[in-house]
Amino acid sequence: MPKRPSVSLTVARGEKLSVARGGGLTAKGRAKYNRITGSNLKAPQKKGPRHDSFCARSASWSSERGLAARKRWGCK
């Protein structure tokens, strides 16, 4: 499998949110990441199968940024 290109996303350029604002990528950041890597990142969901799967996978996250992402997704 080929290595994906490196993507630099920053809060200053508006491509991701600060931890204080809930963490995670903005629409601009997702668009840039998808364009460079060919991925298909989507916005957080508050309910549904993607929400359930994310919350289950991230249950052990304890970093400040990880907890902010879980909060943004609405995980308990």
Side-chain angles (χ1 to χ4, degrees), residues 22-60:
L25 297 178
T26 62
K28 180 180 177 181
R30 285 189 302 274
K32 178 179 179 179
Y33 187 87
N34 289 340
R35 184 174 56 255
I36 293 172
T37 64
S39 297
N40 188 23
L41 293 179
K42 298 180 174 94
Q45 277 187 335
K46 292 294 183 183
K47 58 183 174 180
R50 282 182 55 232
H51 171 268
D52 297 340
S53 178
F54 175 81
C55 290
R57 284 192 320 270
S58 63
S60 64

